Amino acid sequence: MSSRIAGRTIVEAFLPMRGKAPLARIYDTADLLGTGDQPVRLAIRRMQAADELTQIGRGRSGTLELTDTGRERIDRDRSALALAFKQDAEKEPWDGSWNLYAIGAPERERAARDSLRRTLLASGAASLATGTFLSPHDLRPHLDPAMGRYVISATARDLNIRGVTDPRTIAEELWPAEPIDSAYDVIATAIRQDDPTAHADVRRILLADALESALRDDPLIPLDLRRSPWRPAMLRRTWLECWNDIAPSAAYSAWDTVTASAG
């Protein structure tokens, strides 16, 4: 089987929030997916260099374990997943408040300024002007507390952006629907190609990889601010049905509490 699945994706799939992942299962699954051992070994080395995991033992008899840094990364991914499913289930309606953030780091603190900018954009905020960002979500929990002295935040229920005041129009101008919708084509394909006879680990990894790809650049704007029906939400609901149809598996066990509550 040829596969577009990256070695890092396969490694991350088997890393539990607590405990160890056996390398034998990771390598066996990489073989099933057609990825092979070498991309897995390279991914492990890179994740070790980034202090995201530790390896105990060598070869297929070894194990991997997340570090605190690695757990933080996985937890961020789970938070985005949980928000998406809550919105799809209409459990996370928009409260009508816009959240504004201004970065006030001086030039000599350029590294802090750039770090905050990357975090805000990665969390789905839109840039309004130099150093000023907007989101319908409260993004303060995503910001490093040590950077708090550089951030000015405020909320507003009445917003006027260059003469535009309608919330849905603002959302469409700042977070255009078309590229976000198109990014979900990969989920439609994964659902269509899902093979009920394949190994549970393989099915989970293929579906999870598609969902992660679609979510990567999705700011998860509340459904109140999108046209209805919103295709990404519909595809996520169908994705969840496929996911819950798979037998229990070690792959993406860190997602189980999120998907179980969403279902």
Side-chain angles (χ1 to χ4, degrees):
M1 176 192 295
S2 62
S3 175
R4 59 179 169 78
I5 303 300
R8 183 186 181 100
T9 298
I10 299 169
V11 173
E12 288 185 341
F14 289 98
L15 293 171
M17 293 299 284
R18 300 288 174 185
K20 297 178 174 61
L23 274 166
R25 188 161 192 173
I26 293 172
Y27 284 121
D28 286 347
T29 304
D31 289 342
L32 288 174
L33 285 162
T35 300
D37 290 2
Q38 184 57 31
V40 170
R41 286 194 289 267
L42 179 60
I44 292 170
R45 287 198 295 270
R46 288 175 173 171
M47 294 176 76
Q48 284 179 302
D51 190 33
E52 294 177 343
L53 58 75
T54 57
Q55 178 173 339
I56 301 93
R58 297 177 62 83
R60 290 176 176 262
S61 62
T63 59
L64 301 177
E65 187 173 9
L66 284 168
T67 62
D68 288 341
T69 300
R71 273 188 285 273
E72 288 172 6
R73 173 188 165 87
I74 299 295
D75 201 46
R76 284 196 300 271
D77 292 343
R78 291 198 311 173
S79 296
L81 197 67
L83 175 60
F85 288 142
K86 283 180 181 178
Q87 289 184 168
D88 295 346
E90 300 182 351
K91 295 178 181 178
E92 194 84 8
W94 187 46
D95 65 2
S97 296
W98 296 101
N99 294 269
L100 293 108
Y101 306 90
I103 301 175
E107 181 62 24
R108 65 178 180 276
E109 298 289 351
R110 179 182 295 183
R113 182 183 63 199
D114 292 347
S115 176
L116 285 167
R117 179 180 180 277
R118 286 193 299 270
T119 299
L120 287 166
L121 292 175
S123 300
S127 176
L128 292 181
T130 303
T132 306
F133 301 84
L134 179 75
S135 174
H137 301 298
D138 180 5
L139 301 181
R140 287 173 296 182
H142 298 278
L143 302 178
D144 184 344
M147 301 283 192
R149 67 185 183 278
Y150 300 128
V151 180
I152 300 168
S153 62
T155 59
R157 298 187 72 86
D158 296 315
L159 190 64
N160 186 318
I161 300 179
R162 296 178 289 275
V164 178
T165 59
D166 176 68
R168 285 196 177 190
T169 305
I170 289 173
E172 177 59 26
E173 284 202 5
L174 296 178
W175 302 277
E178 193 281 327
I180 295 170
D181 187 301
S182 296
Y184 277 78
D185 289 348
V186 67
I187 292 186
T189 300
I191 292 170
R192 186 172 62 252
Q193 295 179 347
D194 179 42
D195 180 3
T197 66
H199 193 286
D201 290 347
V202 169
R203 291 182 69 192
R204 275 196 168 202
I205 290 172
L206 291 172
L207 285 171
D209 182 64
L211 182 59
E212 286 188 315
S213 176
L215 285 175
R216 191 168 297 127
D217 295 316
D218 187 344
L220 295 174
I221 300 305
L223 298 186
D224 314 64
L225 299 174
R226 291 300 191 192
R227 62 176 179 259
S228 182
W230 178 234
R231 177 173 173 260
M234 296 170 64
L235 284 170
R236 287 193 298 260
R237 293 187 190 106
T238 305
W239 179 96
L240 187 61
E241 292 174 2
C242 291
W243 182 271
N244 288 336
D245 184 54
I246 301 173
S249 162
Y252 283 92
S253 61
W255 284 16
D256 284 344
T257 54
V258 177
T259 54
S261 62

